[in-house]
Amino acid sequence: MVVEIVQDTCTGCGECLPFCTVGAISLGEGAAKVDADLCVECRLCVRFSVCPTGSIRATEIEEHDPRSVRRISDPTMVKATGLPGRGTEEVKTNDVTGRVGLGQVGFCVELGRPGVSASLADLEKVTTALSRLGVKFQRDNPMMTLLSDPERGLVRDEVKGERVLSTLVEFVAPVDMIEPVLGALKKAAGEVDTVFSVGLITRVDGDGRIPVTGTLEELGIPVRPNSKVNLGLGRPLFEEREV
Ligand code: SF4
Ligand code: SF4
């Protein structure tokens, strides 16, 4: 999809500007225009019908066009990646799927944010840094469709110039990988031109304590625990065991 503004009918009123989360719309001489490189095709400006003259147009593009991966930013869009959303559901429902076992920690790195966005070249800086530590990325995550070589964390050459609103890198690792993983992410943070947040997912131990808290405090990282319990969504698919 390509979002454009019809120059002949746009009055330059500027009403569409605040709707663009990444500042891709600007006012030119008498009319507004969309910077195609910055636009992540979230379609907010189209969906809210903000333009009084109907000048904002979204045009479909071929599915195999590298630009189609920008639609990963649209949570309703599954065509570009074959998977809905930007990450897996499991990241929020570990109590059902048991993806993260005892002695393990799940990592969820969200690269980019609404209002910021991220380039896929920057995604590769993060995924290659993690791959060097032997990290195995979570399958069934839309981000995986952007990689040509998941073992080395390489992004497909044809999409490396594309941008997305945000993308989620997920993986599970033994607890003793916390320090090297956070060290690699801290280094990568200085090399990318966007922001990212890092979430850690763990099981509480038998007495209700969060097992990674001590490690994070030793690293000088403040902990802000957050939990989500899903009731009645299904039976656990996992067997409780040490790994
Ligand atoms: S589709 Fe989204 S990113 Fe593109 S111009 Fe509209 S609001 Fe901005
Ligand atoms: S809201 Fe419509 S008419 Fe106004 S600047 Fe945007 S595109 Fe042009």
Side-chain angles (χ1 to χ4, degrees):
M1 174 170 290
V2 177
V3 176
E4 292 169 306
I5 291 173
V6 180
Q7 299 294 290
D8 290 347
T9 53
C10 170
T11 60
C13 68
E15 283 187 35
C16 53
L17 267 67
F19 285 83
C20 183
T21 57
V22 296
I25 306 177
S26 61
L27 282 179
E29 284 178 18
K33 58 181 190 247
V34 175
D35 184 327
D37 186 43
L38 290 180
C39 172
V40 291
E41 302 185 1
C42 66
R43 293 194 312 138
L44 273 183
C45 58
V46 180
R47 272 192 292 221
F48 282 91
S49 303
V50 291
C51 179
T53 61
S55 301
I56 307 176
R57 297 269 168 85
T59 313
E60 289 294 342
I61 55 174
E62 296 284 334
E63 258 179 66
H64 59 262
D65 188 312
R67 193 174 173 87
S68 67
V69 300
R70 291 184 182 234
R71 297 292 305 277
I72 201 174
S73 305
D74 182 345
T76 64
M77 185 65 191
V78 296
K79 237 192 226 173
T81 62
L83 294 162
R86 283 172 274 160
T88 65
E89 278 299 313
E90 285 88 338
V91 79
K92 291 179 183 167
T93 57
N94 193 60
D95 49 333
V96 173
T97 61
R99 195 175 90 201
V100 181
L102 294 170
Q104 292 182 315
V105 60
F107 288 86
C108 178
V109 183
E110 182 169 19
L111 205 74
R113 296 295 297 162
V116 182
S117 78
S119 77
L120 298 187
D122 277 348
L123 168 68
E124 188 178 70
K125 288 175 189 160
V126 171
T127 48
T128 51
L130 293 169
S131 291
R132 284 195 283 274
L133 298 174
V135 157
K136 304 285 179 227
F137 300 115
Q138 177 65 33
R139 290 176 302 156
D140 305 329
N141 173 322
M143 187 280 295
M144 291 296 273
T145 66
L146 305 173
L147 302 185
S148 58
D149 184 345
E151 293 293 315
R152 293 194 290 160
L154 299 177
V155 169
R156 285 157 45 201
D157 283 341
E158 68 273 23
V159 301
K160 220 179 279 187
E162 304 299 333
R163 296 187 73 80
V164 293
L165 200 59
S166 79
T167 181
L168 270 75
V169 181
E170 296 172 56
F171 54 95
V172 177
V175 168
D176 59 10
M177 285 291 286
I178 290 177
E179 188 169 355
V181 164
L182 293 183
L185 289 174
K186 199 169 178 184
K187 187 165 178 292
E191 296 166 3
V192 299
D193 186 20
T194 187
V195 296
F196 62 79
S197 56
V198 182
L200 270 63
I201 301 116
T202 66
R203 288 177 177 283
V204 292
D205 58 24
D207 57 10
R209 284 182 306 190
I210 302 171
V212 300
T213 307
T215 309
L216 294 173
E217 282 172 354
E218 278 170 27
L219 294 171
I221 298 171
V223 181
R224 282 185 296 173
N226 205 327
S227 75
K228 180 170 180 177
V229 178
N230 295 296
L231 296 174
L233 288 183
R235 282 180 297 179
L237 303 174
F238 64 94
E239 223 176 277
E240 195 71 70
R241 64 188 191 283
E242 288 284 347
V243 291

